Amino acid sequence: MPFVLDVDVLLLLATALAAKRRPAELGDIMAAIDLIQNNIPSEEKLQDAFNRLGCNGLLRETDGGIALSEAAETMIEALPRKGEHAERLFELKGLMAAHPDTATGSAIVIDTDTLHTALLAHRASAASGTKNMFVPKPKPESNQGRPGQRQRKPLPKSKSRKR
């Protein structure tokens, strides 16, 4: 893929986050995009990105959801695990640019209405106060020790005998 759009990179990383154990549904992909970027692109841009990534063999439709292909999984595994989202997006864009432009996959056709429905469902779940399961756990402060752990008491000074 010599010419890679930012929407393609965002969609591939969001699908990787959403499709850990099973093919991702559109609502899960929308939640992952919202987590990564805090802004979901328009339905037309997402529809074109699904089509491009499907044609290039990076995404595939299985079991009523969207899953990564083997080539996309190797790209995701090459990303830094502990990196921030911006760093991971940058690295993934470079990997996707190095991916050969082969039309081995089939196009993923998703209606604009279906994407709009998934977007509205995500916004409704965000407004209802349900927890987004894609949010990473908060990191504990490094200065704080574990509760119940005390420092070792110093040994008493021994009386030295003078000879």
Side-chain angles (χ1 to χ4, degrees):
M1 286 180 64
F3 186 69
V4 180
L5 297 175
D6 291 339
V7 174
D8 298 343
V9 179
L10 179 66
L11 182 62
L12 190 64
L13 185 61
T15 306
L17 284 176
K20 291 271 185 185
R21 292 180 177 85
R22 58 179 171 77
E25 297 175 0
L26 287 177
D28 297 337
I29 294 173
M30 295 295 171
I33 289 173
D34 192 27
L35 169 71
I36 294 170
Q37 193 178 27
N38 294 330
N39 186 14
I40 299 174
S42 69
E43 291 87 7
E44 292 83 17
K45 288 183 180 181
L46 287 174
Q47 186 178 19
D48 292 340
F50 274 116
N51 191 11
R52 272 191 303 274
L53 292 175
C55 287
N56 285 320
L58 295 175
L59 290 181
R60 56 187 166 85
E61 277 186 296
T62 56
D63 300 330
I66 309 293
L68 298 175
S69 67
E70 290 79 22
E73 286 178 5
T74 57
M75 286 183 202
I76 296 297
E77 289 172 0
L79 294 176
R81 293 195 186 273
K82 302 254 178 176
E84 296 292 322
H85 290 300
E87 179 185 349
R88 295 184 80 191
L89 285 171
F90 181 75
E91 293 289 329
L92 184 59
K93 189 170 186 174
L95 291 172
M96 287 176 69
H99 182 67
D101 191 15
T102 56
T104 58
S106 61
I108 299 174
V109 179
I110 299 176
D111 297 343
T112 308
D113 295 334
T114 308
L115 285 171
H116 186 70
T117 304
L119 178 64
L120 291 177
H122 169 67
R123 286 183 181 161
S125 69
S128 70
T130 58
K131 187 175 179 182
N132 187 352
M133 299 308 285
F134 294 116
V135 175
K137 293 180 182 177
K139 296 179 182 177
E141 295 178 14
S142 61
N143 297 342
Q144 184 181 8
R146 295 189 326 213
Q149 297 290 323
R150 297 186 187 135
Q151 292 182 351
R152 179 180 279 173
K153 221 177 196 184
L155 292 174
K157 294 183 179 179
S158 62
K159 296 180 182 178
S160 61
R161 290 190 243 172
K162 295 185 181 179
R163 293 186 189 184

